[in-house]
Amino acid sequence: MAKIELPDGSILEAADGTTVQDIAERIGAGLAKAAVAGRVNGRLVDLSSAVNGRVKLSIITDKDEEGLEIMRHSCAHVMAEAICSIWPDAKLVYGPTVRDGFYYDIDLDEAIRPEDFERIEQKMSEIAGADKPMERIELSRTKALERVADDSYKIDNINRADGDVISFYSHGAGFEDLCRGPHVPSTGRVGNFKVMSVAGAYWHGDASEKMLQRVYGTTWRTKKELDDYLAMLEEAKKRDHRVLGKQLDLFSFHEEGPGFAFLHANGMIIWNEIIDFWRSVHEKYGYVEIKTPVILNEELWHKSGHWENYKENMYFTNVDGVNYAVKPMNCPGGLLVYKSRKHSYREFPMRVAELGLVHRNEASGQMHGLVRVRQFTQDDAHIFCTPKQIESEVVGVIELTMELYKAFGFVDYHIELSTKPDKHIGSDEIWEISTDALAKALEHKGIEYKINAGDGAFYGPKIDFHIEDCLKRSWQLGTIQLDFSMPERFELVYTDKDNTEKVPVMIHRAILGSLERFMGILIEHYGGNMPLWLAPEQMRVLPISEKSNDYARKLHGRLKDVGLRCGLDASDEKIGAKVARAHSDKAGYMLIVGPKEADSETVGVRRRASRDTKSYKIDEFISKVKCEIADKNVDLSL
RNA sequence: GCCGAUGUAGCUCAAUGGUAGAGCACAGCUUUCGUAAAGCUGAGGUUGAGGGUUCGACUCCCUCCAUCGGCUCCA
C-alpha cells in the first residue's frame, strides 16, 4: 500500500503501482485535467509513473513554472518530430528549454530557412492535433547503446548521462528520442507554439566541432500568452539602443569603421554628463586621474604578457621601422606612470583612474551596436596597495560600484566571480590567494554571487557585474581584477616600513566597464527617455503660433542662460504637431506658450509621456527643474 | 571567425526580368492655429561594392563588404 503525502499535509492511501495520473484524478477532475507531471519526493516524474511506498507527491500543472518548462521541453520534441518528418536525414542532437522557449540542435546538411517555419509549424499542429501519447521506455545502459548504435550523437549523450537506466520517449509509432524526461502525457498538451528562428551552433559549444543547426521555438499555455510574448518582443525592439540611437540622433556606425562608434552631438551630451558625474564620485572615493597613450612600443606588450595571451585581439602598426601596438588595455601604461618615480607604503592605497581609449579587434559577427565594439573607453583604474589592504580596497570598489549604478537607476544586476583560465600567467598559489581574497570581500559585503569557472583575465581572477539589455541578453559592465603578476613582471616596488623594497598588489577595476556599452544599456534601460540630468534636450519651447514667437525666443534665451538644455520649435506647424514631435524626440518638458502665457510671464509645462499641462511662473519652473537635475531624479516630476 | 538572413531616397518600407515608388524628414509657398502630426509644390537614387548571365537585372548567379539573429569569444 502506498501512503502519499500531499502538499497540504494530508495522506492519501492507494495501492502500490497507482500512477500519478490516478492520484490526480482522485484529488479532483480539474486538477487531473490540468496536470502535466508529478513531483515525487522532490523528483519530477511523468503522470504515467507509478507510486510505491511512503512518498511525498505534488501534482505539477501547466500553471507551475516547472509545468511550463516540461511543456516547452515536450514541444521541442514535437518540433523535432516535425523536422524529422520533413527532412528524414535530420539527426537530433540536443533539445533543451531556454528562457521563454526551447531549441533543438539538429545535424542536417540542407539549411533550414525561415520560409520553412510555417511548414514546420503545420506539421507540429498535425502532431499535436493527433494527441499521441508520449511514452517512456527505460533500458539498461547497454541496451540503450545498442538501440542507438548508428547514431553517434545519441551514443555521446548516453555516455554523458548519469545512472544505469537510460530513458527514451516515443510519440506513438514513428518517433522516438533519447531523453531524461519528464514529458507531458500526450502531444496535444504542448501549448500554443511558434518556431522563432534558426542559427548555427557548434556541437558541445566548441568552435572546433561541427556546426549544427539550432532551431528556436517558443510555446505558451494560451494563445493570449503567446501573443503577449510576441507583442513584448515587438515593444522591446523599440527600446533597442541601436534604433533609439538613430531616432534620437545619438550615434551612428559606418562601413568605413565597423565596430567604431561615431558619437553625435546629442550622444556627447549624455557621454559628458556621465563622465562629469563619474569624476565627482571618484574624487570623493580618493582617486586621482591620469591619461596614457593609445599607441605604445610592441616590446611593452611582450613584457606584459599581452603578446602571448591577447595578440589575436590587438591592432599593430609600424612607424619608421619600429613596431607599435594599439593598446587593448590601459594597465601597462599605468604601470609606466607608477614606475616614473619611487613610492612609499605611506602613499598606499594609491587609486589611479584613467578613462582609457582601448581597441580590441573583435572577430566580425560579434559586433552589436554600442555594447560590443572594437574601440571603447574604459572607466579604468589601478589600485596599488599592500596585500593587507586588498580586502578593504575591494570592498571600497564594490561600494563605489553600487553608488554609481544606483545613481543611474540600475538595481537589477548579478555578480560573478571568475577563476583561473587555461591561458594565464602566475603560479597556482597566487591564483588561489587572490581568488580567495575576492570571495572574502564579496562575503564580507553579504553579496550573492555565482562562480564562473575558468573565465578570469589571464593575469588574475575577477569579480564581474552583469546587466541585461532590452532583449534579456546579459552584458558585463564593471569588473574588479586582482593582479599579482603584472607588478612583478614590471618590477614595481614600494619602500615598506622596514625600509625594504616590496612588490605592490595591483587591482584593476572598471565600474561602468565600457562607456559605450554603458551608454547603450542606459538608453535601453530608459527606452530613450533619459532622466533630466542626462537628457540631451531637457525641455523645448513650443509657441502656439508665430504671434508668440517673440515671447518664446525670450523664454528660450532665458532658460539657456541659466544653463538648461532647451530647444525651440518656431516652425510653422500647429501646436498639436509640435507636441507630437517633441514627444517622439523625447524632450523632457514641453513648454507651451501663447498670448495667455506672454501676458502673465508664465509657461504651460507639459511633461514627456503625460497629457497634463500645468502653468508655472518662469522662475518657479527654473528652480524646480534645477532641483530635479541636481538630485538626478530618475522620473520627471510635476 | 562559423551558420543563416538582410542590404532600394536622411529614416521606415513598396516595386517577382521590361521607364525605381510611397509615408515621414528636407526646401519653397499657403495657413497663424491652444496640447500626440494642416494643405500645395519641389528636390532627393550608378538599388551596399565588383563581376557574370540576358536584347534588357533592384529582381537570376558568383565574389567581397556591412548589418541583423544565433554560436564561439568578450567590456
Side-chain angles (χ1 to χ4, degrees):
Chain A
M1 186 65 87
K3 282 196 166 187
I4 299 139
E5 187 184 336
L6 299 172
D8 66 357
S10 62
I11 306 280
L12 211 105
E13 293 197 348
D16 275 337
T18 305
T19 66
V20 176
Q21 177 71 42
D22 292 338
I23 294 159
E25 268 158 23
R26 270 181 57 185
I27 300 170
L31 181 68
K33 208 171 159 221
V36 294
R39 181 191 294 284
V40 174
N41 294 333
R43 209 167 55 88
L44 289 170
V45 298
D46 292 319
L47 285 177
S48 60
S49 67
V51 176
N52 297 299
R54 187 168 181 113
V55 293
K56 284 189 172 185
L57 170 77
S58 52
I59 304 294
I60 306 289
T61 70
D62 55 14
K63 289 192 184 70
D64 299 307
E65 261 324 292
E66 298 103 320
L68 185 59
E69 198 162 308
I70 289 166
M71 195 172 94
R72 286 179 174 156
H73 184 193
S74 299
C75 195
H77 278 242
V78 168
M79 184 176 79
E81 183 181 348
I83 290 171
C84 288
S85 76
I86 298 169
W87 293 278
D89 289 341
K91 285 202 187 77
L92 302 175
V93 183
Y94 183 56
T97 58
V98 288
R99 185 193 328 225
D100 296 338
F102 56 86
Y103 64 76
Y104 218 115
D105 279 349
I106 285 153
D107 182 6
L108 172 67
D109 290 336
E110 187 188 334
I112 296 174
R113 293 162 197 283
E115 307 79 284
D116 299 320
F117 292 175
E118 214 183 306
R119 205 151 47 114
I120 297 171
E121 282 165 4
Q122 260 168 28
K123 203 79 205 177
M124 286 170 75
S125 295
E126 276 173 38
I127 295 163
D131 200 21
K132 299 189 281 184
M134 295 183 89
E135 283 170 334
R136 182 181 176 94
I137 305 149
E138 290 186 353
L139 293 176
S140 69
R141 183 170 285 271
T142 327
K143 289 266 188 217
L145 284 169
E146 281 170 23
R147 198 176 183 105
V148 299
D150 54 351
D151 187 334
S152 59
Y153 294 113
K154 295 299 168 189
I155 291 170
D156 179 74
N157 285 355
I158 290 173
N159 287 335
R160 285 160 182 271
D162 295 325
D164 292 327
V165 178
I166 302 296
S167 56
F168 292 80
Y169 280 81
S170 67
H171 310 166
F175 183 80
E176 177 182 288
D177 193 14
L178 172 74
C179 183
R180 186 181 301 160
H183 278 288
V184 297
S186 66
T187 57
R189 302 287 301 280
V190 295
N192 295 264
F193 48 79
K194 185 170 166 61
V195 178
M196 300 295 287
S197 63
V198 58
Y202 299 109
W203 189 45
H204 291 160
D206 183 341
S208 62
E209 288 290 355
K210 181 168 188 180
M211 180 151 281
L212 308 166
Q213 299 193 63
R214 178 168 296 177
V215 183
Y216 286 86
T218 188
T219 189
W220 297 81
R221 219 158 44 88
T222 62
K223 176 80 167 59
K224 181 172 186 310
E225 279 176 5
L226 173 64
D227 291 343
D228 287 350
Y229 172 67
L230 298 175
M232 188 276 290
L233 288 182
E234 284 304 309
E235 275 310 301
K237 269 190 204 160
K238 291 182 197 158
R239 290 178 82 90
D240 189 318
H241 77 278
R242 293 166 300 182
V243 173
L244 288 167
K246 229 177 234 176
Q247 190 190 325
L248 302 177
D249 198 14
L250 302 175
F251 58 86
S252 57
F253 285 91
H254 302 272
E255 285 200 14
E256 291 80 352
F260 302 121
F262 288 65
L263 286 193
H264 299 194
N266 286 340
M268 276 311 288
I269 290 170
I270 299 174
W271 179 274
N272 285 330
E273 287 292 345
I274 293 170
I275 287 177
D276 286 352
F277 175 58
W278 182 91
R279 286 212 167 98
S280 72
V281 175
H282 276 73
E283 196 170 342
K284 188 172 107 189
Y285 275 78
Y287 282 78
V288 295
E289 188 180 343
I290 62 167
K291 186 171 177 71
T292 69
V294 168
I295 298 173
L296 292 165
N297 194 298
E298 193 184 288
E299 279 305 308
L300 180 75
W301 304 100
H302 284 277
K303 195 169 178 179
S304 67
H306 284 86
W307 178 267
E308 222 177 305
N309 294 284
Y310 210 75
K311 193 174 49 183
E312 301 75 32
N313 287 306
M314 291 171 68
Y315 290 98
F316 296 95
T317 184
N318 181 292
V319 183
D320 291 339
V322 181
N323 291 325
Y324 289 88
V326 182
K327 69 175 174 184
M329 295 186 196
N330 303 300
C331 30
L335 295 172
L336 296 182
V337 174
Y338 181 95
K339 276 172 74 90
S340 65
R341 66 172 170 84
K342 282 225 164 207
H343 293 281
S344 151
Y345 76 95
R346 292 172 191 273
E347 294 176 69
F348 283 6
M350 262 177 79
R351 307 187 185 111
V352 186
E354 171 172 16
L355 291 168
L357 180 64
V358 298
H359 291 71
R360 296 182 185 179
N361 186 14
E362 303 292 347
S364 67
Q366 336 211 98
M367 260 91 72
H368 185 89
L370 287 178
V371 300
R372 191 76 188 268
V373 288
R374 284 182 172 152
Q375 174 195 263
F376 58 100
T377 304
Q378 284 184 310
D379 66 322
D380 211 346
H382 298 102
I383 298 173
F384 301 96
C385 63
T386 66
K388 276 194 179 147
Q389 293 168 329
I390 293 174
E391 196 181 323
S392 66
E393 282 309 298
V394 172
V395 167
V397 174
I398 292 172
E399 282 167 359
L400 167 57
T401 304
M402 305 231 171
E403 181 168 338
L404 273 172
Y405 286 3
K406 202 176 155 207
F408 288 101
F410 289 126
V411 284
D412 285 328
Y413 50 86
H414 76 269
I415 293 169
E416 293 180 10
L417 174 63
S418 299
T419 59
K420 190 176 71 187
D422 293 339
K423 249 186 161 185
H424 63 272
I425 57 177
S427 71
D428 287 355
E429 195 193 345
I430 281 178
W431 274 88
E432 204 183 311
I433 294 169
S434 32
T435 308
D436 278 355
L438 290 179
K440 243 198 225 156
L442 285 170
E443 277 147 28
H444 174 99
K445 292 292 293 173
I447 292 171
E448 273 183 41
Y449 63 93
K450 160 183 153 191
I451 301 268
N452 203 350
D455 210 34
F458 70 82
Y459 45 76
K462 58 181 187 168
I463 295 173
D464 291 331
F465 296 80
H466 296 255
I467 208 156
E468 285 178 354
D469 72 7
C470 65
L471 293 171
K472 304 280 179 201
R473 289 176 288 212
S474 179
W475 298 94
Q476 183 185 321
L477 293 181
T479 178
I480 306 172
Q481 308 174 349
L482 217 45
D483 183 357
F484 290 89
S485 297
M486 213 66 83
E488 221 159 73
R489 284 183 170 233
F490 278 80
E491 297 158 319
L492 258 50
V493 289
Y494 65 98
T495 309
D496 206 356
K497 252 182 199 158
D498 59 6
N499 199 30
T500 61
E501 291 199 326
K502 296 197 172 115
V503 181
V505 179
M506 184 176 182
I507 300 168
H508 307 244
R509 50 113 284 191
I511 309 291
L512 309 181
S514 141
L515 287 183
E516 286 79 355
R517 171 177 293 179
F518 185 75
M519 215 170 108
I521 298 281
L522 195 59
I523 291 163
E524 298 196 358
H525 182 66
Y526 288 113
N529 293 305
M530 309 309 281
L532 208 61
W533 72 283
L534 291 165
E537 190 176 18
Q538 292 168 322
M539 59 206 64
R540 182 183 293 177
V541 180
L542 313 177
I544 293 287
S545 79
E546 207 180 322
K547 287 177 187 158
S548 303
N549 277 0
D550 284 344
Y551 179 64
R553 283 198 195 91
K554 202 178 104 191
L555 175 63
H556 175 243
R558 175 80 203 286
L559 294 169
K560 292 197 68 112
D561 284 347
V562 298
L564 294 169
R565 294 190 289 269
C566 183
L568 170 66
D569 184 352
S571 68
D572 236 5
E573 294 293 345
K574 297 207 284 195
I575 189 65
K578 292 185 187 183
V579 168
R581 213 162 291 190
H583 271 296
S584 76
D585 292 345
K586 302 190 189 295
Y589 290 103
M590 280 159 253
L591 310 180
I592 292 145
V593 294
K596 205 166 70 191
E597 284 78 14
D599 288 344
S600 56
E601 294 276 309
T602 57
V603 54
V605 181
R606 176 167 170 165
R607 193 178 71 179
R608 175 181 62 208
S610 153
R611 302 190 98 93
D612 302 330
T613 310
K614 271 191 188 170
S615 182
Y616 282 86
K617 285 282 179 197
I618 293 172
D619 288 334
E620 195 188 351
F621 175 70
I622 290 174
S623 62
K624 197 190 87 66
V625 292
K626 286 261 181 180
C627 282
E628 190 178 327
I629 291 164
D631 293 347
K632 300 194 162 48
N633 278 356
V634 162
D635 293 315
L636 300 182
S637 49
L638 249 192

